[in-house]
Amino acid sequence: MVDSGTLRSRRCLLGLVALAAFMSCIMLVLLSGPDLSSGQGLMRRVAELQLRSEHLDALYRPSIAKIEHLSQRLDQLVSADNKPSWIGFEAQHAVQNVSARNSTTTIPALQLPSAADFLPHLSDGAALRPAFCMCGARRSGVSMVLGVPTVRRAVQDYLLGTLDSLVSSMTPEESRDALIVVFVAETDVEYVMQLAGEIRDRFGDEVQSGLIELISPPASFYPDPSSLRLTLGDSVERVRWRSKQNLDFAFLMMYAHPRGTLYVQLEDDIVTKRGFMSTMKNFALEKTAQRAPWFVLEFCQLGFIGKMFKSVDLPFLVQFFLMFYNDKPVDWLLDHFIFTKVCTPENNPRCQKAKKELWIQYKPSLFQHMGKHSSLRGKIQNLKDTQFGKLPLFFPHDNPPADVESDIAPYQQHTLLEAYMGRSYFWGLSPQPGNTLTFRFKTPVFIKRFLFRSGNAEHPSDKLLNTSVEVKPQENRLDQGLDLNGTPDGFLVIGQCNGNGVCEGDAASTLGAISVLRLHIHSKILKSVVLSEILIEANNGR
């Protein structure tokens, strides 16, 4: 049984765990990140420490409440007239002694309301447990969790393009400090597993490392659709759609809450800019260091895209969504939540000023909405964020002099030479198995690094898949026992394009100077291929 000493011991243990985690946060913050020699850098690191410690405290606090609740429940069981048969006499006596020492009144403690008060069917614990989880390494303690809810779309699916934009726009350092949670808001397990398989095939490394997770809810999480009230004059279909969306966001936020310091709500049909994570994180740390009382940082003007919250604030938002999920759309509820915090019923000019202090917009926008077909059947939406600007369609580099050629027909002026020279991107039509893109160096080079990135913002699906990177050294190396596959025409295979259409690596120093490098396509590519970045970094000093 639980006596007062045990309770104190458990509290001490929880406190020590919290303190240890807190010290870990301090070490992590102080030993990583930008140079602290500048005052601004130091302020940002202190702000990051503050956010991490607040998040840790928020995770620790409910544990104490649970222990108190269990203690009270045990007291109630022992003092009940009809005691459970499993409570023996000695246990009853011990608990009664504890109660006598620690209680000065017989008035029972009040119980806080929970989500089950708004949605009684959630009293079943299984309703709040993901039905499916592709979780990889299960990261926690990251700086930022990106929530991407998605549903089955009748016309066009954008999810893989969205994930590609997010992943390819991160630096290696950013990707190690992030978590992307894909929430498949469908209860058809077969469809969920199919989508999980597609993501694993395309983003295998990201899934294995823990950067990308995928979860889906149990059917028992949702109330009976026929029980929903019609509100705002909307049709039955629209009320069901927006009510389910509110619940979807709540489930995703509950899952993300303990995993990172900051949470960003996204949609499944967006593109972003390179370095978006560092930009968002630095902006949040800047506002925190300034002691700005922000609740939302907005990195896109549209809907619920690019809205950042402190993870410690998510429980308040989740409760609000669960209380009013049937009443209004999710973006309206967010606005009403902020209004409730700072405004009077008159909605005077001071209200708008106070709301802007809690809801801060960053410009220019970092996310752009790309989807034309809404998840609400039949709805077409050509929404664009005018603050976003234009995404670059290619990324130029200064490459070694070379003659380039390809047996893939280019579209208009988008030739391979233009792409290699950094003046445009290569747009090739109807690539076939056996086609190549070849770079013959005018002077053999020692290749320190190569990078070929396919697809761009306007052509996100025109990827180089099942494509190998092959080189021909200046001196024949096929007979030197290298652990590389050779081709019948004397090339050595040194790399493969990954599921994101990126071919990246280096040429081993044992290969010596390289005379020719080529990309060799091994399977048919539908429609066309776009090569938006070509980087061949030479190491003249070997």
Side-chain angles (χ1 to χ4, degrees):
M1 304 306 293
V2 181
D3 59 19
S4 59
T6 303
L7 285 175
R8 284 194 298 270
S9 298
R10 290 182 179 176
R11 289 175 187 151
C12 289
L13 179 59
L14 284 170
L16 289 173
V17 171
L19 179 61
F22 180 74
M23 295 304 296
S24 297
C25 286
I26 293 177
M27 295 302 297
L28 178 63
V29 169
L30 294 180
L31 296 178
S32 62
D35 183 8
L36 299 184
S37 58
S38 68
Q40 186 180 26
L42 180 59
M43 288 180 65
R44 285 181 177 173
R45 303 314 286 168
V46 172
E48 183 173 4
L49 175 59
Q50 177 184 336
L51 288 175
R52 287 179 180 268
S53 63
E54 289 175 355
H55 185 228
L56 178 63
D57 179 67
L59 296 180
Y60 162 67
R61 200 181 312 116
S63 300
I64 292 293
K66 288 178 181 179
I67 291 177
E68 296 288 357
H69 175 70
L70 289 174
S71 175
Q72 293 169 10
R73 180 59 181 152
L74 192 56
D75 287 346
Q76 292 170 2
L77 286 174
V78 171
S79 60
D81 292 335
N82 297 317
K83 301 178 179 63
S85 58
W86 48 266
I87 299 182
F89 173 78
E90 292 183 359
Q92 295 176 29
H93 183 69
V95 173
Q96 286 169 350
N97 287 340
V98 172
S99 300
R101 290 195 302 268
N102 295 339
S103 300
T104 59
T105 178
T106 59
I107 299 176
L110 303 180
Q111 296 297 319
L112 290 171
S114 68
D117 294 295
F118 319 127
L119 296 164
H121 68 283
L122 294 183
S123 58
D124 176 13
L128 294 173
R129 184 176 297 112
F132 178 87
C133 183
M134 181 176 71
C135 296
R138 282 197 61 81
R139 291 184 180 182
S140 61
V142 298
S143 290
M144 197 177 301
V145 180
L146 308 174
V148 183
T150 187
V151 295
R152 192 198 313 242
R153 292 178 182 262
V155 179
Q156 184 176 358
D157 189 88
Y158 307 94
L159 177 62
L160 295 182
T162 294
L163 293 178
D164 179 54
S165 179
L166 293 174
V167 169
S168 62
S169 299
M170 293 182 186
T171 65
E173 293 77 15
E174 290 171 338
S175 66
R176 287 191 290 268
D177 195 27
L179 169 62
I180 302 172
V181 179
V182 178
F183 175 70
V184 187
E186 300 286 349
T187 56
D188 181 349
V189 177
E190 184 176 344
Y191 170 76
V192 173
M193 294 182 66
Q194 173 190 332
L195 185 56
E198 293 176 5
I199 292 176
R200 188 184 292 109
D201 290 343
R202 181 85 167 260
F203 303 94
D205 292 340
E206 289 78 12
V207 171
Q208 185 176 6
S209 69
L211 173 59
I212 295 179
E213 293 187 5
L214 181 145
I215 61 170
S216 69
S220 57
F221 173 68
Y222 299 102
D224 181 357
S226 64
S227 67
L228 296 175
R229 295 172 290 102
L230 296 183
T231 60
L232 304 179
D234 285 345
S235 65
V236 172
E237 184 179 14
R238 185 173 181 84
V239 169
R240 290 181 178 180
W241 172 76
R242 59 176 169 78
S243 297
K244 179 179 178 296
Q245 187 179 63
N246 287 333
L247 296 173
D248 292 341
F249 283 25
F251 194 104
L252 176 53
M253 288 178 175
M254 284 189 285
Y255 181 83
H257 168 241
R259 309 294 294 280
T261 308
L262 300 167
Y263 174 78
V264 180
Q265 184 75 36
L266 299 174
E267 292 186 6
D268 64 350
D269 53 355
I270 54 112
V271 293
T272 188
K273 297 177 179 178
R274 284 190 172 187
F276 73 97
M277 264 200 62
S278 292
T279 301
M280 289 194 296
K281 180 179 176 181
N282 288 336
F283 189 66
L285 295 179
E286 176 186 328
K287 294 302 175 184
T288 302
Q290 294 171 356
R291 301 188 180 276
W294 66 272
F295 187 85
V296 186
L297 297 182
E298 180 176 84
F299 297 92
C300 177
Q301 297 184 95
L302 302 177
F304 221 118
I305 301 172
K307 305 300 186 284
M308 174 186 281
F309 308 91
K310 302 168 195 169
S311 291
V312 296
D313 290 334
L314 290 181
F316 301 98
L317 206 54
V318 168
Q319 288 281 73
F320 198 78
F321 289 167
L322 294 180
M323 283 191 291
F324 301 107
Y325 76 97
N326 188 182
D327 298 291
K328 293 185 178 181
V330 66
D331 49 341
W332 291 15
L333 290 181
L334 176 60
D335 183 76
H336 291 328
F337 184 90
I338 301 296
F339 179 94
T340 302
K341 290 177 72 70
V342 296
C343 294
T344 62
E346 291 78 17
N347 193 17
N348 54 41
R350 291 184 59 186
C351 167
Q352 296 304 316
K353 181 179 179 181
K355 286 175 64 176
K356 288 182 179 179
E357 291 178 353
L358 293 187
W359 188 324
I360 302 173
Q361 186 179 87
Y362 176 88
K363 294 181 181 181
S365 298
L366 297 181
F367 301 95
Q368 180 64 283
H369 180 260
M370 300 298 291
K372 182 178 180 180
H373 300 277
S374 169
S375 57
L376 176 61
R377 184 172 302 179
K379 180 182 178 183
I380 303 296
Q381 50 186 16
N382 294 308
L383 301 176
K384 296 296 179 183
D385 188 334
T386 58
Q387 292 291 336
F388 183 77
K390 291 185 177 181
L391 275 174
L393 300 181
F394 64 95
F395 303 93
H397 293 285
D398 185 14
N399 293 309
D403 295 319
V404 303
E405 61 186 44
S406 177
D407 48 3
I408 304 173
Y411 178 71
Q412 295 183 352
Q413 304 302 314
H414 297 287
T415 65
L416 185 59
L417 178 60
E418 289 293 293
Y420 190 76
M421 298 301 293
R423 295 191 289 255
S424 182
Y425 57 90
F426 172 66
W427 189 354
L429 303 177
S430 302
Q432 301 295 320
N435 284 160
T436 59
L437 296 85
T438 304
F439 310 88
R440 301 182 185 276
F441 302 111
K442 294 185 177 180
T443 301
V445 297
F446 295 87
I447 297 179
K448 180 180 179 181
R449 177 176 175 241
F450 62 82
L451 170 66
F452 299 91
R453 189 184 307 277
S454 57
N456 62 21
E458 291 185 354
H459 308 277
S461 300
D462 291 355
K463 303 285 189 180
L464 280 171
L465 304 175
N466 194 17
T467 299
S468 58
V469 182
E470 303 169 355
V471 296
K472 180 174 287 186
Q474 183 181 22
E475 300 178 6
N476 182 19
R477 304 279 173 153
L478 292 178
D479 57 352
Q480 295 190 14
L482 297 175
D483 188 20
L484 295 171
N485 294 324
T487 66
D489 55 350
F491 281 80
L492 294 174
V493 180
I494 62 171
Q496 299 283 339
C497 291
N498 61 25
N500 299 322
V502 177
C503 324
E504 186 173 14
D506 58 40
S509 59
T510 53
L511 294 177
I514 303 299
S515 299
V516 186
L517 182 148
R518 74 182 181 190
L519 301 177
H520 190 170
I521 298 172
H522 300 288
S523 59
K524 184 177 181 180
I525 298 176
L526 297 177
K527 295 185 179 179
S528 60
V529 63
V530 165
L531 197 57
S532 55
E533 185 171 10
I534 301 175
L535 167 64
I536 299 176
E537 187 176 345
N539 185 0
N540 295 328
R542 302 191 180 185

